[in-house]
Amino acid sequence: MTEAEDRKPQSEEAHSAFRQPGGIAASIDNESSTTSEFEIPRGLAVPRHTGSESETTSEFALPDGMDAPPTAPGDTEGSAFATPSTYHAWTAPAAFTPASGFPAVSLADVPWQDRMRAMLRMPVAERPAPEPSQKHDDETGPAVPRVLDLTLRIGELLLAGGEGAEDVEAAMFAVCRSYGLDRCEPNVTFTLLSISHQPSLVEDPVTASRTVRRRGTDYTRLAAVFQLVDDLSDPDTHISLEEAYRRLAEIRRNRHPYPTWVLTTASGLLAGGASLLVGGDVIVFFAAMIGAMLGDRLAWLCAGRGLPEFYQFAVAAMPPAAIGITLTLTHVDVKASAVITGGLFALLPGRALVAGVQDGLTGFYITAAARLLEVMYFFVSIVAGVLVVLYFGVQLGANLNPDAALGTGDDPFVQIFASMLLSLAFAILLQQERSTVLAVTLNGGVAWCVYGAMHYAGDISPVASTAAAAGLVGLFGQLMSRYRFASALPYTTAAIGPLLPGSATYFGLLAIAQSEVDNGLLSLSKAVALAMAIAIGVNLGGEISRLFLRVPGAASAAGRRAAKRTRGF
């Protein structure tokens, strides 16, 4: 024995930490080679599972003939990190991604609204990555804060124009993805827009927000914003950030398509058409027209003085009611109730009501509650303005009968003409594009034909008839928006004008003014039911259109996500 061997310890506790354990063959390769940390060491045998008939071999399996090391007799408990004895890697369930992968989600050849809505309803882990963007000049990518600012400005115009919260989120998501920003999460409420972008899993997110303080009705501007988002979403159209900002500034600077005197005349035509719709004659038509025009001018005067919209609506409701009371006091043989009803048609907030119910049905409950609260304030202001005039009219001896029912006239062609005139005037008040006015006018006439055929000819309840007619309006509007890659609001909002509950609202207010509170509340509850039927019908018509058209992602195992989003699982 040499001197070096005498100095070597003989006990088992003194073994080197770098000595190879038993059962692992020593490497005969003298050259250093770099191997993966997940590679099975040479000489280590793994027991092969043969429980299934069609056995799947792993690329990490050892060659045949290599045995596993013997297990220590006392090692029965095992480590906390050891694989359970019942687990076999060859029969393990797919924990994250199956071997065959997830079904591909095809998002091509469909409108960008459907593509973005489908991805927003997907889990974040299943969203397809955006294509490499060429919409910027810098090779390092666009400036993230500027993209988020552009996204918020576009979302602000859409939300201020009355677009639904889900459609605003889809547009914001489309703008971000068009510039190659993945992992973006927009959030829309009634007065606040925010968006968050996380560059990677190890970097801090970038968040920006914007407050919506002013709202205006201009569907021409809304259509221009949708066209901008459509161009940004087109992979064949390359729009830089500077070009997008320039187009957005032009949209903001553009004047309204109709001057003020045209809007005032349209307000009068709307009231006159509504008075014909409830059985008025020529005198009633012009009386309602003059009352609505006076109310519109007074509302503009109040707006110029900075008064809130609550008082503007109250002031605008007074002139039609005053003219109706005057005709009654002067014993003119006309339907004064038709004059007041026509004036109410021009003020009822149908656009805000439809948007509020749509947000509630799509899961945006905070925004829906805020919109419906706004509708309630507008309705209360109209009630206050009309009740003040009706109260003084009753005190002066005006013979107004709250139990009388307004008819629809004897000539159905006059009613169809009145409904189309009402929709035309409503479209002008909404500042719609001239190319959409004819389509929405025809849509309003068809909606009234469906309502009249079901209610008056078929003797079906007015609520069901209204819901069916509004559903047809929503279906047509959704189809037109898909065809033109635009918003559905210009094709639906004005078309529901003939269906608004003007007469039920008036008779409820008149009964309350004459101290018949029970009858008044009953009539007002009918008006609320009709308004909800309109809003739900419009939304249901849009959803029905998606049932018959191709939905992106329908072939995946997850299917459509909207039905599961708010059910707690």
Side-chain angles (χ1 to χ4, degrees):
M1 182 179 295
T2 63
E3 182 179 357
E5 292 175 346
D6 292 338
R7 293 195 301 267
K8 185 179 299 184
Q10 301 299 323
S11 62
E12 291 295 334
E13 291 79 10
H15 285 175
S16 173
F18 301 98
R19 181 180 179 181
Q20 285 181 314
I24 300 181
S27 175
I28 59 176
D29 189 7
N30 295 327
E31 297 182 358
S32 60
S33 58
T34 303
T35 61
S36 171
E37 59 181 344
F38 301 103
E39 183 179 3
I40 300 178
R42 297 180 180 179
L44 179 61
V46 179
R48 191 183 300 272
H49 179 69
T50 58
S52 60
E53 296 180 1
S54 59
E55 183 177 8
T56 305
T57 60
S58 171
E59 60 180 358
F60 300 114
L62 297 177
D64 296 335
M66 186 172 294
D67 299 329
T71 306
D75 190 11
T76 57
E77 181 176 348
S79 171
F81 301 97
T83 305
S85 59
T86 58
Y87 177 85
H88 298 286
W90 289 271
T91 60
F96 297 101
T97 304
S100 58
F102 288 107
V105 178
S106 177
L107 298 176
D109 301 330
V110 292
W112 65 266
Q113 297 99 316
D114 290 338
R115 297 201 308 267
M116 298 303 110
R117 188 182 292 109
M119 280 190 285
L120 283 173
R121 291 174 176 178
M122 289 181 184
V124 178
E126 298 181 16
R127 293 176 183 172
E131 297 293 333
S133 175
Q134 302 297 330
K135 300 181 185 295
H136 48 81
D137 300 329
D138 191 0
E139 295 182 357
T140 60
V144 173
R146 295 197 65 197
V147 174
L148 298 184
D149 178 70
L150 175 67
T151 302
L152 290 173
R153 291 178 182 272
I154 290 177
E156 178 191 8
L157 287 180
L158 293 176
L159 186 63
E163 195 64 63
E166 186 178 34
D167 293 329
V168 175
E169 283 196 358
M172 295 173 63
F173 195 67
V175 174
C176 287
R177 289 184 65 88
S178 64
Y179 286 101
L181 297 187
D182 198 9
R183 293 183 293 273
C184 287
E185 289 297 331
N187 188 21
V188 176
T189 58
F190 185 60
T191 58
L192 181 65
L193 298 169
S194 63
I195 187 168
S196 177
H197 167 66
Q198 189 172 11
S200 66
L201 297 178
V202 296
E203 296 182 64
D204 295 332
V206 181
T207 304
S209 61
R210 192 173 183 88
T211 303
V212 180
R213 301 189 182 276
R214 297 189 62 184
R215 301 177 184 274
T217 303
D218 190 343
Y219 281 1
T220 300
R221 179 180 295 175
L222 190 69
V225 176
F226 262 80
Q227 183 62 46
L228 174 59
V229 178
D230 182 44
D231 293 340
L232 290 175
S233 302
D234 188 2
D236 299 329
T237 304
H238 304 295
I239 301 177
S240 63
L241 268 175
E242 289 72 17
E243 177 67 16
Y245 268 107
R246 185 190 64 80
R247 289 182 57 177
L248 189 61
E250 289 181 353
I251 293 173
R252 285 181 174 273
R253 287 196 301 264
N254 281 347
R255 286 183 167 272
H256 299 306
Y258 306 104
T260 304
W261 67 269
V262 174
L263 298 179
T264 302
T265 306
S267 177
L269 290 176
L270 192 154
S275 65
L276 291 179
L277 203 62
V278 294
D281 53 12
V282 178
I283 299 178
V284 171
F285 176 85
F286 284 103
M289 182 175 177
I290 294 173
M293 293 172 66
L294 288 176
D296 181 77
R297 287 292 85 201
L298 288 176
W300 277 100
L301 180 62
C302 294
R305 298 294 181 180
L307 289 179
E309 284 185 313
F310 181 89
Y311 303 105
Q312 297 176 29
F313 272 79
V315 170
M318 290 182 178
I323 291 180
I325 294 295
T326 303
L327 292 176
T328 303
L329 292 175
T330 55
H331 303 287
V332 179
D333 189 15
V334 294
K335 292 183 177 180
S337 299
V339 177
I340 303 175
T341 301
L344 291 178
F345 266 89
L347 297 175
L348 293 178
R351 172 183 58 89
L353 176 67
V354 171
V357 175
Q358 179 182 357
D359 288 342
L361 294 176
T362 52
F364 294 85
Y365 299 115
I366 297 178
T367 307
R371 288 187 189 271
L372 294 178
L373 184 62
E374 180 188 39
V375 171
M376 187 192 72
Y377 271 102
F378 289 161
F379 191 78
V380 170
S381 66
I382 296 171
V383 167
V386 175
L387 276 180
V388 169
V389 179
L390 290 180
Y391 176 79
F392 283 105
V394 171
Q395 297 300 319
L396 292 175
N399 186 17
L400 299 174
N401 184 12
D403 296 329
L406 291 174
T408 58
D410 299 329
D411 193 351
F413 294 101
V414 174
Q415 305 307 310
I416 296 175
F417 169 76
S419 64
M420 295 176 65
L421 178 63
L422 193 154
S423 299
L424 172 64
F426 205 172
I428 295 176
L429 286 175
L430 293 174
Q431 305 277 1
Q432 291 191 196
E433 291 180 297
R434 291 178 174 86
S435 59
T436 64
V437 171
L438 179 59
V440 74
T441 301
L442 296 176
N443 197 13
V446 172
W448 179 257
C449 290
V450 173
Y451 172 79
M454 294 182 63
H455 179 53
Y456 297 109
D459 199 19
I460 302 176
S461 67
V463 176
S465 303
T466 301
L472 187 64
V473 169
L475 176 61
F476 175 78
Q478 193 63 235
L479 293 177
M480 287 299 298
S481 69
R482 288 168 175 265
Y483 174 72
R484 301 192 61 179
F485 295 90
S487 172
L489 289 181
Y491 301 99
T492 58
T493 306
I496 65 174
L499 305 176
L500 292 176
S503 59
T505 303
Y506 162 70
F507 284 117
L509 299 180
L510 180 59
I512 293 176
Q514 295 184 350
S515 301
E516 298 181 7
V517 180
D518 293 338
N519 294 333
L521 293 179
L522 181 62
S523 184
L524 289 179
S525 63
K526 178 183 176 182
V528 172
L530 290 174
M532 294 296 292
I534 292 173
I536 295 175
V538 169
N539 182 265
L540 183 60
E543 294 296 329
I544 289 175
S545 68
R546 298 188 182 100
L547 294 179
F548 296 100
L549 298 177
R550 194 169 94 177
V551 178
S556 65
R560 192 157 180 255
R561 298 282 178 178
K564 291 184 178 180
R565 185 173 56 182
T566 58
R567 292 171 58 183
F569 56 87

